[in-house]
Amino acid sequence: MTKSTKAKLRVVLAYSGGLDTSVAIRWLQEHYDAEVVALSVDVGQEGELQGAIDRAYRNGAVEADLIDAKETFVTEFLWPAVQANALYEGVYPLSTALARPLIARTLTQVALASGAGAVAHGCTGKGNDQVRFDVAIHTLGPGLRIIAPVREWNMNRTDEIAYAKSHDIEIKVTVAKSYSVDENLWGRSIEGGALEDPDVAPPEEIYEWTGHPDSWPSTPELLRVDFERGIPVRLNGKLLAPVELVRTANRIAGAHGIGRIDHVEDRVVGIKSRENYECPGAMALLEAHRALETLVLPRDLLQFKAHVERRFSDLVYEGLWFSPLREALSAFVSSTQEVVTGSVTLRLHQGNVRAVRRSSEYSLLAPELVTYGNTSQFPQELAVGFIHLYGLPNRLAHARRESARAAKPSQETKRRVAGKVLRST
Ligand code: ARG
């Protein structure tokens, strides 16, 4: 009799090189008898990705790959977010949330192309990231099985280190890391440890891109950002490729302490959590874009777009990047950007960024209309008639309401009201 040898389950693991995903390689082999392909997607996280890849092989991956997705991240994800002035709950520029769909898409593509039966990621069962990964993978790779080891195993950090030791897993030993950090070109997220208590001020040690406040220059710096159709293309007059532009913005704004965000956030899974971010470039570019739009977009469009922006930001946060609604909203946003071409000068100082100059060939601010000088072409005499008609409905409504208040209630009404009061007591 011949023994049937079942083909091993091939799993493509979204691999960062950190403790969780290093342990996951061995854990997947042990618990799923899987062969593991470790896949790192470079979205601009700092740190030594190539070293992590070499380590993945030594830790038992049958294959380990590094895909550079930085440019795609900026052009396909960050620029639409800038155009949509995307801030979750008005404060968080969605750095982690924007990278997840790209990582999930890459993971799915590699899995489908290599005939893998499953993908895996290192998300916990409490956060937004599992939602973002799983929804994107279900959407783009319907047949794929998803394994989330950290959601399944019952290990804390100490257990994981013990597991690594007993299984001879090589981990990059860092100084007792008490925070969970996620990083990409759009910013850093720092959570956990002492930060879990919203009543504890974030310690300086969590920041890496915004130096110590003592190092923030005492004199302000001006940064000029040029946009073409809602996309930043130049910094201080210098044409920069997308990735370089974001990195430069991070460096310049970071030096002034811009983009520190301390937020009590509402997660998709229904819990509130205290989140800290460091997103200097994002906050500077978003401020510049918003300022330029105020100059070139008409009032009704700005007001309507604000609703779209809010919904867009919620969708991105909630893991619905690959959805018909998000795509339709992006199409709307993009149609508003034809005129968002021009320059904004930002003033960076001691953790604050604000626009101090803006100009555009499509500016709707017409000097000949707004000036108080004698070149004014605004027909002021017409204002009287305009105001008369403009205020007419309000005048009428006010008069009617006054007379309603003055009218004495009828006997019948009084009786009914009194009866109701009696019955309800
Ligand atoms: N709360 C943020 C979000 O949902 C960031 C989570 C990032 N993960 C981390 N381990 N810091 O987008």
Side-chain angles (χ1 to χ4, degrees):
M1 249 188 7
T2 48
K3 256 207 223 146
S4 72
T5 45
K6 223 173 111 219
K8 280 198 169 193
L9 174 68
R10 193 176 170 89
V11 181
V12 184
L13 165 72
Y15 169 79
S16 70
L19 177 64
D20 288 338
T21 53
S22 296
V23 168
I25 297 177
R26 185 61 50 85
W27 189 90
L28 285 164
Q29 294 169 339
E30 208 173 77
H31 292 256
Y32 286 87
D33 191 25
E35 54 176 39
V36 180
V37 177
L39 179 70
S40 293
V41 182
D42 182 359
V43 282
Q45 57 275 51
E46 316 256 295
E48 234 278 273
L49 287 173
Q50 192 51 51
I53 290 296
D54 299 340
R55 232 172 25 249
Y57 277 116
R58 292 198 294 272
N59 286 334
V62 292
E63 196 183 315
D65 301 303
L66 175 60
I67 292 184
D68 181 357
K70 292 194 290 291
E71 168 122 16
T72 310
F73 183 42
V74 179
T75 56
E76 249 188 78
F77 294 81
L78 301 187
W79 289 166
V82 168
Q83 294 183 321
N85 299 316
L87 290 171
Y88 180 61
E89 296 188 322
V91 294
Y92 163 42
L94 294 158
S95 40
T96 294
L98 284 160
R100 296 315 190 196
L102 173 56
I103 298 171
R105 183 176 75 188
T106 313
L107 197 62
T108 305
Q109 284 167 344
V110 170
L112 294 178
S114 65
V119 293
H121 58 70
C123 303
T124 72
K126 281 189 165 184
N128 300 312
D129 288 331
Q130 55 169 346
V131 180
R132 297 168 184 150
F133 271 112
D134 289 6
V135 169
I137 295 160
H138 286 316
T139 305
L140 304 177
L144 282 174
R145 176 166 171 193
I146 302 172
I147 305 171
V150 180
R151 207 160 48 183
E152 289 183 29
W153 71 39
N154 253 324
M155 292 194 275
N156 59 26
R157 199 180 156 78
T158 319
D159 300 333
E160 286 182 50
I161 292 173
Y163 183 97
K165 277 225 175 84
S166 64
H167 289 74
D168 236 353
I169 299 169
E170 184 188 340
I171 49 175
K172 202 174 161 208
V173 199
T174 43
V175 225
K177 218 186 73 179
S178 40
Y179 306 107
S180 160
V181 177
D182 179 61
E183 196 174 81
N184 63 53
L185 283 167
W186 213 224
R188 294 178 70 238
S189 146
I190 315 101
E191 55 184 35
L195 294 169
E196 282 181 3
D197 183 352
D199 198 22
V200 169
E204 270 308 308
E205 63 176 11
I206 69 167
Y207 301 111
E208 282 184 9
W209 294 3
T210 54
H212 192 277
D214 293 344
S215 73
W216 300 347
S218 55
T219 44
E221 179 177 348
L222 298 180
L223 172 64
R224 183 177 141 155
V225 188
D226 294 348
F227 288 86
E228 271 169 29
R229 296 180 170 241
I231 291 168
V233 290
R234 269 183 221 89
L235 292 182
N236 288 330
K238 194 163 178 239
L239 191 69
L240 293 170
V243 175
E244 209 36 49
L245 191 141
V246 175
R247 283 211 161 125
T248 309
N250 276 327
R251 190 171 40 74
I252 296 175
H256 289 271
I258 282 129
R260 290 184 172 191
I261 299 152
D262 182 356
H263 179 216
V264 173
E265 188 168 294
D266 292 278
R267 290 191 187 166
V268 189
V269 290
I271 51 183
K272 280 189 187 287
S273 67
R274 195 278 190 89
E275 305 283 328
N276 278 268
Y277 303 100
E278 194 174 31
C279 307
M283 296 313 277
L285 295 173
L286 286 166
E287 171 62 12
H289 179 265
R290 196 200 49 79
L292 183 56
E293 280 193 338
T294 63
L295 191 66
V296 296
L297 298 187
R299 181 172 82 150
D300 55 358
L301 184 52
L302 281 172
Q303 287 178 349
F304 187 82
K305 186 168 178 282
H307 296 291
V308 173
E309 291 168 354
R310 173 89 209 218
R311 196 74 178 89
F312 174 94
S313 304
D314 286 348
L315 286 169
V316 172
Y317 187 82
E318 292 158 3
L320 294 172
W321 179 269
F322 299 111
S323 68
L325 181 56
R326 200 284 305 162
E327 282 169 32
L329 295 184
S330 285
F332 168 82
V333 168
S334 138
S335 80
T336 64
Q337 299 297 296
E338 287 170 327
V339 290
V340 188
T341 295
S343 313
V344 173
T345 301
L346 298 171
R347 181 184 183 273
L348 316 172
H349 190 225
Q350 301 275 318
N352 294 304
V353 57
R354 62 189 167 85
V356 290
R357 295 179 61 181
R358 63 297 267 160
S359 66
S360 167
E361 58 185 300
Y362 307 116
S363 170
L364 297 175
L365 196 159
E368 67 280 14
L369 294 182
V370 79
T371 181
Y372 285 111
N374 49 18
T375 52
S376 172
Q377 287 173 24
F378 189 82
Q380 291 198 58
E381 64 286 0
L382 298 183
V384 180
F386 163 72
I387 294 165
H388 185 83
L389 294 180
Y390 172 71
L392 187 61
N394 197 46
R395 246 179 7 249
L396 189 61
H398 182 73
R400 294 288 186 269
R401 203 176 49 189
E402 288 293 287
S403 59
R405 281 176 186 168
K408 287 213 164 69
S410 68
Q411 284 305 108
E412 170 62 14
T413 310
K414 273 190 187 158
R415 253 202 333 274
R416 276 199 207 154
V417 172
K420 210 177 206 169
V421 170
L422 274 180
R423 272 196 303 280
S424 65
T425 51

